[in-house]
Amino acid sequence: MAEAADNQGASPTPARRRWLRRAIVLLAGTPVLAALIYSPAPRAEAAQAASVDVQLTSMAPTAPVKGDTLTIRGTVRNTGAETITDAHVGLRVGPALADRTSIDEAAERTGFRAGADPGEVDPAYAVKIASLPSKISQEFTLTVPVNKLELDKDGVYQLGVSLSGVTESRPSEQVMGIKRTFLPWQPEAAAKRSQLTYAWPLISTTHVTAETGSDELQTPVFLDDSLADELKPGGRLEQMVTLGKDLPITWVIDPDLLYTVDAMTKGYRVRSAGGKPVQGKSKAVAEQWLNSLEAAVQGKKVVALPFADPDLASLAHHGKDVSGTLGQLRPATDKAKQAVETVLHVPASTDFSWPVDGAIDPSIVNVATSAGAHNVLTRSDSLVESGALGYTPSAARPIGAGTTAVVADADLSTAFDGDMLNAGASTLAVQRFLAHSLALNLQKTDEPRSFVVAPQRMPSVSQVQSMAEAVRGLQAGRWTQPADLEAAAAAKPDPGATTQVPGAGQYPEALRKQELPVSAFEKIRTTQNTLDRFKVILAAPDRVEIPFGNTTNREMSTSWRGRPEEARLYRDQVQDYLIGLTEKVKVVPKSDATLSGHSATIPVSVQNSLVQDVHDLVLRVKSANPTRLMFSQNEQQVTVQGDHTQTVKFTANATASGPVEVTAQLFTKDGIPYGKERTFTVEATEITPTVMLVIAGGVLLLVLAGIKMYASRKRVAARAAAEESTQPSDESPDTGAQSTEGSGTSETVDR
């Protein structure tokens, strides 16, 4: 550990004297001898690193004090071709590391180098392994009293756990493999302790669609039932609550998650392969999780992100120029506070925004604060220090316009980004986290400082467990004391700290590639415009405003990062579903009609297949040839009850015979066309005055002919009567006579 020299000005410690003696022995002698000893080391290091893989699966206590016994468990695996014999696992303690850079450099080292690495502590504590065949693993447990480690001053010490042994080709004992970790040593409470805030994020992906049931509660439809896996015992979100409830943390919550789980407790449906949603089965799991969370947050600070955790960088870079997009942020913030207070019954702060990975530029800051937040949670690898201070300043940085950048420490925040399923990786990550936190407190400054940890948004189960282990390691409070996020934002800023927001060109390209494109925000605007035209005709517009408003926020969620196809499909499905709803109110297709006579009525029907009434609609009919067919009134107000059809009658007047095309179209009260127009043909058979004269003349001739026939018959009857009077007879005269009437009918309209 020569690269990690102790430069704190104290006299050499026993451990340091021991290290110096070894270095002197190795470096003494002629230059030729020194070269012979040192020059093969890189090749030997590579060979030995490939011989035995050493893994440290646990270390307890993670931050020991005087009188403790350090226990390190792990495994050794022979990765070489030869059996290793007469082996042992030993512990090596180096001098205190000088600073955080030394910690990072030490963490990157892999192989063993004689002269640079310290010797083993008392061999009596080594674990002997008689034989370790090729490709075989063996567990070990090292138990060493802390007072045997000769840790005489506060600081971060590097520990090395090595396996030494011999093989047939290497008969002299050599170090075959080594694994390094860190031991933070602060046995007594420091006179000056840093405040440390750990943000504990409760965030998930989008699970709820825009679809709801027709029942009173509008039962939501979920994309799938995967959220139940996160909520059930052992699941990611269950572990976040179970482990977080006993830790000094600040809960950072996406209110959409609360609404989603709360909806599950009231009953929900899930999309199925058959198309028809099926009943969700995880109501009890949701209830249990929500009850546990409500108990866990009592008395704790809760920060509510804007509803659905909108992607602020995407909004700033691609969405702000699409009209109406930024207007969604304020309602998202308002809903956030209401959700926490309604579901968890605790107050929540909505004064924080959190761009992805804490990466900011001026446009992101502007968007982040546009909804009213005054604090932007960023990270030290975005708002980078120049290094002139010589120490890490407090998290709070005023960046102008009343906005505070709360700068989370990048090393602490990314400590558990990797795969923590491997116990060895988790153990090393926890010890490195504790080492950095102690190194921060040991930096040369008399000013009290406040540090923030903002981990990944959706840590895995193993990452959550590692995070919790690290926070527990700090609970003794010997070099840190817990603080909440609001306190960190309000802490006195360091006047020498960087406050210059990086330019747009410094925004990470990898993050930029994951942003929602402009087309996404244009599609969202199209959906919003469709919704605006739809809700004005509804008697209960909140039944669509609320679910679709929430869905609009979800379409902008940070959770779509890295999933562009899923995001596009979600937006398409939202638009398609909304269009399907609007088409439930329509003019019923009409067959052609016949208009006989000068004037008649034409019925047109409007169908409402929604469960609620529609009103403020205007139905207009238009004749393609007004000189042949015209309407005395071409528009009428329409109100249709839910799941009903209303027929509206229009009076039409024909001035000439022949077919005329008629169009029927619904409009909103603002004169905007609604739905599809319907076209049908009216066949006009108008009876003109000439035809009427002809008909009248024919009737007159018939009447005159009848009169003439009647007079003729009367004369014949008179003569017959005269003749009979001169000739006696018993017969009566034939008096049978008939008259007929004609009646005419007229058709109206064929519906």
Side-chain angles (χ1 to χ4, degrees):
M1 299 183 182
E3 75 275 27
D6 180 3
N7 63 357
Q8 296 187 16
S11 59
T13 64
R16 181 165 175 78
R17 287 195 296 271
R18 192 168 58 249
W19 178 82
L20 289 171
R21 284 198 300 271
R22 293 191 185 105
I24 292 170
V25 170
L26 286 167
L27 296 176
T30 66
V32 175
L33 179 58
L36 289 173
I37 295 173
Y38 186 78
S39 60
R43 292 192 297 272
E45 179 178 338
Q48 292 162 4
S51 297
V52 173
D53 176 44
V54 181
Q55 293 293 323
L56 310 181
T57 56
S58 70
M59 178 172 163
T62 56
V65 297
K66 294 176 181 178
D68 280 345
T69 296
L70 183 66
T71 301
I72 301 176
R73 291 184 171 85
T75 61
V76 289
R77 176 177 172 80
N78 183 356
T79 60
E82 297 180 282
T83 297
I84 300 173
T85 57
D86 296 329
H88 69 274
V89 178
L91 180 64
R92 301 168 184 267
V93 182
L97 298 174
D99 50 33
R100 300 185 74 188
T101 301
S102 299
I103 293 173
D104 292 336
E105 290 174 349
E108 299 302 319
R109 293 185 60 206
T110 54
F112 176 82
R113 180 173 292 179
D117 284 308
E120 295 180 14
V121 299
D122 192 334
Y125 299 101
V127 175
K128 298 186 180 301
I129 299 176
S131 176
L132 187 63
S134 174
K135 312 306 178 187
I136 297 300
S137 298
Q138 184 166 326
E139 296 180 350
F140 67 84
T141 301
L142 282 173
T143 304
V144 185
V146 171
N147 59 12
K148 297 294 182 181
L149 304 180
E150 300 183 2
L151 308 172
D152 60 340
K153 65 178 181 179
D154 299 342
V156 176
Y157 292 82
Q158 186 177 179
L159 300 184
V161 177
S162 61
L163 181 133
S164 303
V166 300
T167 63
E168 185 177 350
S169 63
R170 292 185 285 182
S172 59
E173 182 177 279
Q174 300 182 47
V175 176
M176 304 289 185
I178 187 171
K179 180 67 71 176
R180 296 177 178 82
T181 188
F182 303 98
L183 179 70
W185 180 246
Q186 179 77 53
E188 304 293 337
K192 171 182 63 68
R193 294 180 296 166
S194 305
Q195 290 190 334
L196 191 136
T197 299
Y198 207 111
W200 201 254
L202 282 184
I203 300 172
S204 187
T205 57
T206 295
H207 295 278
V208 183
T209 72
E211 300 174 40
T212 61
S214 59
D215 55 301
E216 185 67 26
L217 294 177
Q218 290 186 268
T219 301
V221 177
F222 283 37
L223 289 168
D224 51 43
D225 214 2
S226 60
L227 182 56
D229 294 331
E230 298 186 66
L231 302 176
K232 68 184 181 182
R236 188 182 70 84
L237 291 172
E238 186 274 338
Q239 286 288 283
M240 290 291 293
V241 173
T242 299
L243 297 174
K245 65 183 176 65
D246 297 321
L247 299 176
I249 56 174
T250 295
W251 297 88
V252 179
I253 302 177
D254 174 10
D256 184 28
L257 175 62
L258 299 183
Y259 270 167
T260 300
V261 180
D262 187 54
M264 293 174 70
T265 67
K266 297 178 174 66
Y268 66 107
R269 295 185 297 163
V270 179
R271 281 182 180 170
S272 65
K276 185 177 181 180
V278 298
Q279 191 67 35
K281 299 179 180 179
S282 300
K283 181 174 181 287
V285 170
E287 289 175 343
Q288 176 60 44
W289 184 84
L290 210 53
N291 290 336
S292 298
L293 176 59
E294 184 177 352
V297 299
Q298 298 303 314
K300 302 286 183 69
K301 286 293 183 179
V302 176
V303 169
L305 299 173
F307 190 89
D309 187 21
D311 191 335
L312 301 174
S314 294
L315 284 163
H317 296 155
H318 303 294
K320 65 179 181 180
D321 295 329
V322 178
S323 62
T325 299
L326 293 186
Q328 302 294 335
L329 283 179
R330 172 64 72 174
T333 299
D334 295 341
K335 282 185 281 190
K337 189 175 186 67
Q338 180 184 6
V340 174
E341 294 177 353
T342 301
V343 179
L344 298 181
H345 308 103
V346 294
S349 169
T350 57
D351 205 22
F352 290 83
S353 59
W354 188 13
V356 174
D357 286 359
I360 60 172
D361 63 22
S363 64
I364 294 174
V365 171
N366 289 337
V367 168
T369 57
S370 64
H374 297 91
N375 303 302
V376 181
L377 190 55
T378 181
R379 213 164 66 183
S380 61
D381 52 355
S382 181
L383 197 63
V384 181
E385 287 298 314
S386 64
L389 288 177
Y391 59 86
T392 303
S394 280
R397 319 281 175 83
I399 56 176
T403 302
T404 299
V406 182
V407 185
D409 186 84
D411 283 328
L412 298 180
S413 298
T414 60
F416 307 104
D417 278 1
D419 181 9
M420 298 290 111
L421 278 173
N422 181 284
S426 174
T427 298
L428 296 180
V430 169
Q431 295 306 128
R432 188 173 179 179
F433 176 92
L434 296 175
H436 270 289
S437 66
L438 177 55
L440 277 169
N441 196 62
L442 291 173
Q443 290 174 338
K444 301 295 185 180
T445 176
D446 294 329
E447 293 297 323
R449 289 173 298 157
S450 174
F451 303 111
V452 171
V453 182
Q456 58 273 39
R457 268 175 155 75
M458 290 184 281
S460 65
V461 171
S462 60
Q463 289 171 340
V464 173
Q465 293 167 345
S466 299
M467 289 159 51
E469 181 69 17
V471 177
R472 281 195 292 266
L474 295 173
Q475 280 189 284
R478 296 195 297 275
W479 62 86
T480 64
Q481 52 187 340
D484 60 68
L485 198 54
E486 286 185 320
K492 180 182 177 181
D494 192 314
T498 297
T499 58
Q500 182 64 44
V501 176
Q506 296 173 266
Y507 188 80
E509 188 62 28
L511 291 180
R512 194 179 293 274
K513 289 179 179 179
Q514 292 184 338
E515 293 175 353
L516 295 171
V518 174
S519 60
F521 294 102
E522 290 173 341
K523 185 62 173 285
I524 294 170
R525 180 183 60 184
T526 299
T527 302
Q528 184 63 46
N529 291 341
T530 304
L531 177 63
D532 291 341
R533 290 192 297 270
F534 180 47
K535 66 185 183 183
V536 297
I537 72 168
L538 302 176
D542 58 301
R543 286 183 66 91
V544 296
E545 283 181 308
I546 294 174
F548 276 99
N550 292 343
T551 301
T552 298
N553 295 137
R554 291 171 182 135
E555 290 177 299
M556 302 179 184
S557 174
T558 301
S559 68
W560 296 117
R561 285 210 167 219
R563 302 188 298 145
E565 285 305 310
E566 291 94 330
R568 182 192 59 77
L569 179 61
Y570 186 82
R571 293 191 297 271
D572 289 346
Q573 290 175 339
V574 171
Q575 175 71 357
D576 291 345
Y577 177 65
L578 179 56
I579 290 175
L581 289 180
T582 64
E583 291 177 346
K584 289 180 179 291
V585 179
K586 61 185 179 181
V587 177
V588 178
K590 182 175 177 57
S591 58
D592 294 342
T594 299
L595 180 65
S596 299
H598 179 71
S599 177
T601 58
I602 298 178
V604 180
S605 297
V606 178
Q607 184 182 57
N608 174 19
S609 298
L610 299 172
V611 296
Q612 64 169 299
D613 299 351
V614 295
H615 59 186
D616 291 335
L617 277 170
V618 176
L619 178 60
R620 296 179 187 172
V621 291
K622 181 180 179 182
S623 171
N625 189 350
T627 59
R628 178 176 293 175
L629 179 71
M630 62 184 299
F631 294 94
S632 57
Q633 182 183 11
N634 70 339
E635 68 175 46
Q636 293 189 50
Q637 294 282 339
V638 178
T639 297
V640 189
Q641 292 182 334
D643 203 22
H644 279 73
T645 299
Q646 179 72 37
T647 300
V648 182
K649 295 182 179 181
F650 292 88
T651 301
N653 299 295
T655 58
S657 299
V660 179
E661 189 176 82
V662 175
T663 300
Q665 171 73 63
L666 286 171
F667 289 83
T668 66
K669 63 180 180 180
D670 299 324
I672 299 174
Y674 183 91
K676 297 178 181 179
E677 66 177 19
R678 301 295 184 185
T679 302
F680 56 95
T681 300
V682 175
E683 184 69 35
T685 56
E686 171 63 16
I687 304 176
T688 65
T690 302
V691 174
M692 290 294 292
L693 289 173
V694 172
I695 293 174
V699 171
L700 180 59
L701 290 174
L702 288 174
V703 171
L704 291 174
I707 293 173
K708 184 178 181 180
M709 291 175 62
Y710 176 75
S712 176
R713 288 183 179 181
K714 191 172 183 180
R715 287 194 297 270
V716 171
R719 286 196 299 269
E723 291 175 356
E724 289 178 359
S725 64
T726 59
Q727 296 178 6
S729 173
D730 293 332
E731 295 182 4
S732 297
D734 184 4
T735 60
Q738 294 182 336
S739 68
T740 60
E741 290 185 359
S743 63
T745 60
S746 64
E747 296 179 90
T748 55
V749 176
D750 177 13
R751 288 185 58 187

